[in-house]
Amino acid sequence: MCTKHEGCRSEKSAAPAIQSVSCCAASPKIQSIHPAGVRASEGSCCSSDTGSGPDGPDEDDPAKGTSTYKQSWRVAGMDCPSCARKIETAVNQLSDIVDARVLFATEKLVVQFNSAATATAIEQAVTNTGFKIYSDQAASTAEQTPPRHPLLETETLRIIVLAALMAVGALVSLWSAESGHWIFVVSCLAGLIPIASKAWKLAKSGTPFAIETLMTVAALGALYLGETVEAAMVLLLFLIGERLEAFAASKARSGVQSLMELVPETAVRLVSGQRVEVPVSTLNPGDIVEVAPGGRLPADGVLLERAASLDESALTGESLPVDHHQGDQLVAGAVVVDRVIQLKITSRQGENAIDRILHLIEEADARKAPMERFLDQFSRWYTPLMMVVALLVVTVPPLLFAQPWETWVYRGLAMLLIACPCALVISTPAAITSGLAAGARRGALIKGGAALEQLGRIQTVAFDKTGTLTQGKPQVTDLVAFSGWSEARLLTVTAAIEQGSRHPLAMSLVDTAQQRGVVLPPAEDKQALVGRGVSGRIGEQQYRVLAPSKIDVTLEASVAQSIATLEAQGKTVVVAFEDERVIGLVAWQDTLRDDAQQAIADLHRMGITTTMLTGDNPRSAAAIASQLNMDFEASLMPEDKVEFVRQLAQQHHVAMVGDGINDAPAMKEANIGIAMGGGTDVALETADAAITHNRLTELASMIALSRATLSNIRQNVTIALGLKGIFLVTSLLGVTGLWVAVLADSGATALVTLNALRLLKFKK
């Protein structure tokens, strides 16, 4: 019966992968996180840590080895990805560390190590770097603590005090220049002490060329030159820039944080007929919970009511409520609309739909875009190099050309501040973080900056047919009997040898037999003929069900004509044999997805070509492809599909869209693989991106978002380099001074961040 590649006994899963409850099956790349002091259990599918971190291996960072422990912490106070790198550097300096990763999008530090005592050293190392660190339990408590008023935060108070001292100094200078001078000195020292302290901590932890170091050098240089007003202004502008960065970072993470808040903290569990309010963390598979209208589902589960309407917009972007019936799988975070419902929990703690989406986002955070990786490496040597250049600017003119030291010390300090790479370094990750968050809100999970870049360059999209362009639920449409056989008898023997198979066509045939009340006889010696069909024995007779293209005998003209007629109608046909005699034909037809035509049309409008790949016969494939106005390749075996995608990728940037296990190799061969949310776990894990709500029309929006992100990155790099270039020249010529240098750096950082935040409101 295997007439097409999509099904070749690959056993496509009918259950949505987003509802899988096995942590390892749902995401093989995600390792479990064990608390310090708790050893991973032997034999567990997650017990062997590969050293690749919780988010899968980075392209440029192979696994470092195995570890005994893995623990996660929440880190507060990170303003940009460079802060994450500072923490990683500090933790990796410890002797017992196997791997350490900071996930900026979710503010999480995940470390692999071998000694339980190392956990304390890790916390101390992060604290010494100047950041706040919490264990999982402490982080939960901290989140429940009411936030302080923005004006009462330490950083904001420091800005207010410094601004007030400067204002007092300016007023006092009107009457006494000497007194005003000393007030500005005090102001400068008040602002400099915490910055210099952090610079010293970072230097000790392995980051000697941080922006805090540059600010400290510049402020001390300005004090040495007697420019107390400018020194104080430099520090004030820097502190304001830091607060703006922190605000922008929180906005960039807002999409991820909104996902984390979708699951309620408590649930009503039914225990012996009694309603008991319990923490969501205590729920286990098999528990029955009750959710009132307006409440969110605390975990994935099965609906026990006859029917219910749920608002799934926070997960899928679909604004209209979705009707569900008894036995339907429901996902955590959905809102009950119309009635009190009871739900049987199916997901374990930390493994519901929201948790898996967050895991994928964390995995994406570890996969940097090529441009981001380049800028990350660039900044490591750029800052020390610019410090050397600034030193040359300070020393060469006075030593070789008898220029005044004060003038060139001042210009060297200004150049040092302008050359700070903050705006350049944050230009790419800010845009990518915003793009990933915007995609997650729409139900499009893109696994990292590298995938985001590839999506934006796509020229051709190859589609699997069954389950991707079609519903994936073929229905038996024709039973054509020959050689004196009846339709009922033909259905009986073909369904009997297909019984037990998970192939969509086989399952449809058996269902048809059951609906018609046919009693299926036992079949023996059943075999799947890979790429051809299936065979089996009933009593003394041998039966086969084969694809017409895989038959090695000449069929009678009437049989061949019937096959051609059915295939011309877009149907999938198989030929049934009793020994070597043809006894009939069985035909199925799969219907197109409701949104398939719109999705293909949207891609064509974007200038993207489309091709359908199928193992079905050419006539049936042509009938489907003509409805969608797209190219097709038919009669493909699994290896043929991989080879076709490989050749296509040599000429164009290709995306492969599929949902089955057999689509995974072709997805890997393409420049980027995209999985449908209703597909198998293997397809979702192999893919570089996934459409979780299973709406094909979101594919064009995903590509448009990627293109907008690439455009945003180019804009950010232009802003960062353009402003630096202009002010570097003006500083060397003596046109602009220190405070303008800081304003240029902080302004560029603010501009690129605000530009990146526009992606959060992306609409195609």
Side-chain angles (χ1 to χ4, degrees):
M1 172 172 299
C2 186
T3 65
K4 51 195 174 81
H5 162 61
E6 291 88 350
C8 289
R9 304 297 164 192
S10 62
E11 300 186 4
K12 281 191 176 183
S13 170
I18 200 70
Q19 295 162 354
S20 168
V21 298
S22 171
C23 70
C24 300
S27 188
K29 298 176 184 175
I30 299 170
Q31 305 296 319
S32 60
I33 297 177
H34 307 290
V38 180
R39 190 176 293 269
S41 59
E42 296 295 332
S44 166
C45 66
C46 289
S47 63
S48 178
D49 294 330
T50 65
S52 60
D55 313 294
D58 198 337
E59 293 88 342
D60 295 333
D61 186 13
K64 297 182 179 180
T66 57
S67 63
T68 305
Y69 303 99
K70 182 184 287 187
Q71 185 170 348
S72 66
W73 290 266
R74 162 87 182 277
V75 179
M78 292 188 293
D79 298 333
C80 65
S82 63
C83 296
R85 191 171 65 241
K86 294 171 186 175
I87 295 170
E88 287 179 351
T89 300
V91 174
N92 278 318
Q93 284 194 324
L94 300 176
S95 59
D96 185 43
I97 302 302
V98 175
D99 189 33
R101 290 181 184 273
V102 177
L103 309 172
F104 179 69
T106 50
E107 298 183 294
K108 184 184 290 185
L109 165 65
V110 183
V111 187
Q112 297 180 54
F113 50 95
N114 292 312
S115 173
T118 304
T120 303
I122 292 170
E123 294 178 359
Q124 188 61 49
V126 175
T127 302
N128 290 342
T129 310
F131 297 92
K132 296 178 181 178
I133 184 169
Y134 305 95
S135 63
D136 289 338
Q137 184 175 359
S140 177
T141 303
E143 289 170 357
Q144 296 173 7
T145 304
R148 300 176 67 184
H149 191 279
L151 293 179
L152 297 180
E153 293 183 1
T154 304
E155 294 81 1
T156 306
L157 284 174
R158 189 174 295 142
I159 293 173
I160 294 172
V161 169
L162 181 55
L165 284 173
M166 290 181 63
V168 171
L171 290 174
V172 171
S173 296
L174 297 176
W175 288 277
S176 171
E178 183 68 19
S179 299
H181 170 80
W182 285 108
I183 291 177
F184 277 114
V185 171
V186 172
S187 303
C188 186
L189 292 176
L192 180 59
I193 290 173
I195 295 174
S197 175
K198 187 170 184 179
W200 176 245
K201 290 178 180 178
L202 290 171
K204 290 195 300 181
S205 63
T207 311
F209 299 113
I211 177 60
E212 288 81 3
T213 305
L214 301 185
M215 292 304 307
T216 302
V217 171
L220 290 175
L223 283 176
Y224 167 75
L225 295 174
E227 301 289 347
T228 55
V229 177
E230 285 211 80
M233 181 62 74
V234 163
L235 295 170
L236 178 62
L237 290 174
F238 172 72
L239 292 174
I240 292 174
E242 289 282 286
R243 292 302 294 155
L244 288 175
E245 282 189 22
F247 172 76
S250 66
K251 285 292 183 183
R253 283 191 289 253
S254 61
V256 176
Q257 290 171 341
S258 63
L259 281 174
M260 298 169 69
E261 295 168 359
L262 289 180
V263 178
E265 295 181 0
T266 61
V268 176
R269 182 167 60 192
L270 301 183
V271 182
S272 302
Q274 301 296 315
R275 292 168 174 78
V276 182
E277 186 170 345
V278 299
V280 168
S281 59
T282 64
L283 295 178
N284 293 305
D287 287 347
I288 307 297
V289 299
E290 187 174 87
V291 185
R296 291 190 181 275
L297 303 190
D300 297 351
V302 176
L303 180 64
L304 300 181
E305 307 298 326
R306 293 185 60 184
S309 182
L310 283 88
D311 177 2
E312 300 175 351
S313 58
L315 285 164
T316 67
E318 179 61 57
S319 58
L320 296 177
V322 179
D323 292 328
H324 289 279
H325 303 282
Q326 189 174 27
D328 283 358
Q329 288 279 351
L330 307 179
V331 296
V335 179
V336 180
V337 174
D338 56 349
R339 67 187 66 187
V340 176
I341 69 167
Q342 291 185 0
L343 184 77
K344 183 177 180 180
I345 301 300
T346 59
S347 63
R348 297 183 178 87
Q349 173 63 20
E351 297 174 18
N352 62 48
I354 302 297
D355 293 320
R356 286 192 294 280
I357 290 174
L358 288 171
H359 280 314
L360 289 173
I361 291 175
E362 289 177 353
E363 180 178 274
D365 195 41
R367 297 181 175 182
K368 296 181 178 180
M371 174 65 78
E372 185 179 0
R373 290 200 300 271
F374 168 74
L375 291 177
D376 194 21
Q377 295 296 325
F378 173 75
S379 66
R380 296 179 187 228
W381 59 261
Y382 170 82
T383 303
L385 177 63
M386 292 311 298
M387 292 188 77
V388 172
V389 172
L391 181 62
L392 293 175
V393 168
V394 170
T395 57
V396 171
L399 291 176
L400 299 183
F401 302 103
Q403 294 291 312
W405 281 97
E406 291 79 5
T407 299
W408 289 99
V409 167
Y410 185 87
R411 293 181 184 181
L413 293 175
M415 181 181 177
L416 194 64
L417 292 179
I418 292 173
C420 173
C422 284
L424 187 60
V425 171
I426 201 175
S427 59
T428 299
I432 287 174
T433 301
S434 297
L436 294 177
R441 284 180 175 179
R442 302 171 65 97
L445 292 181
I446 305 170
K447 298 182 182 179
L452 199 64
E453 280 198 27
Q454 290 289 351
L455 265 175
R457 298 191 175 100
I458 290 303
Q459 299 168 305
T460 299
V461 179
F463 290 89
D464 163 55
K465 191 191 82 169
T466 303
T468 302
L469 292 173
T470 65
Q471 298 284 355
K473 299 177 181 178
Q475 302 296 320
V476 176
T477 57
D478 299 270
L479 290 165
V480 183
F482 300 116
S483 304
W485 280 59
S486 66
E487 289 186 8
R489 188 182 174 195
L490 174 65
L491 176 63
T492 301
V493 297
T494 54
I497 64 173
E498 289 285 6
Q499 192 171 33
S501 171
R502 303 301 298 173
H503 188 283
L505 299 184
M507 294 172 65
S508 174
L509 186 62
V510 173
D511 288 343
T512 300
Q514 292 175 344
Q515 291 168 8
R516 298 187 182 184
V518 174
V519 178
L520 300 181
E524 299 176 345
D525 298 331
K526 292 189 289 186
Q527 292 183 345
L529 308 175
V530 179
R532 299 180 62 208
V534 66
S535 67
R537 182 168 54 83
I538 301 175
E540 299 299 323
Q541 301 297 324
Q542 185 73 22
Y543 295 93
R544 292 179 296 160
V545 176
L546 302 176
S549 61
K550 307 303 178 184
I551 298 173
D552 52 9
V553 298
T554 302
L555 298 174
E556 294 181 7
S558 59
V559 175
Q561 181 59 44
S562 297
I563 293 173
T565 301
L566 292 170
E567 289 182 343
Q569 298 170 7
K571 297 176 181 179
T572 299
V573 183
V574 296
V575 183
F577 287 84
E578 183 185 56
D579 294 327
E580 299 301 322
R581 182 178 58 155
V582 176
I583 59 175
L585 307 176
V586 182
W588 293 260
Q589 191 164 41
D590 198 359
T591 57
L592 286 174
R593 285 176 177 267
D594 296 335
D595 57 355
Q597 290 181 322
Q598 181 64 46
I600 301 302
D602 289 344
L603 291 174
H604 289 170
R605 280 193 292 270
M606 297 173 68
I608 297 173
T609 59
T610 56
T611 301
M612 180 181 73
L613 306 183
T614 176
D616 214 340
N617 63 82
R619 282 189 291 263
S620 178
I624 297 293
S626 63
Q627 297 180 54
L628 297 171
N629 190 29
M630 64 189 302
D631 298 330
F632 70 92
E633 292 290 328
S635 301
L636 297 179
M637 297 291 285
E639 59 272 18
D640 297 331
K641 182 181 288 189
V642 174
E643 181 60 28
F644 178 83
V645 172
R646 180 185 295 120
Q647 293 180 2
L648 198 60
Q650 292 174 357
Q651 305 169 18
H652 309 281
H653 265 77
V654 179
M656 174 66 197
V657 185
D659 72 326
I661 293 174
N662 58 340
D663 300 323
M667 285 181 184
K668 271 299 181 188
E669 202 60 51
N671 297 102
I672 183 169
I674 303 172
M676 301 301 294
T680 63
D681 290 339
V682 173
L684 285 169
E685 285 306 315
T686 302
D688 303 291
I691 302 174
T692 59
H693 50 50
N694 221 20
R695 284 204 308 269
L696 200 58
T697 49
E698 194 58 41
L699 179 59
S701 296
M702 181 189 290
I703 295 175
L705 172 62
S706 300
R707 290 181 175 180
T709 304
L710 290 180
S711 176
N712 194 283
I713 290 172
R714 287 191 291 268
Q715 295 166 9
N716 284 348
V717 172
T718 301
I719 291 171
L721 291 179
L723 285 176
K724 288 185 183 299
I726 292 171
F727 284 102
L728 273 174
V729 174
T730 58
S731 294
L732 286 176
L733 295 176
V735 177
T736 53
L738 288 180
W739 70 272
V740 177
V742 176
L743 187 61
D745 177 65
S746 299
T749 302
L751 282 176
V752 299
T753 305
L754 292 174
N755 187 46
L757 291 178
R758 293 190 302 114
L759 291 170
L760 293 175
K761 300 184 180 297
F762 173 81
K763 290 183 180 180
K764 182 178 179 295

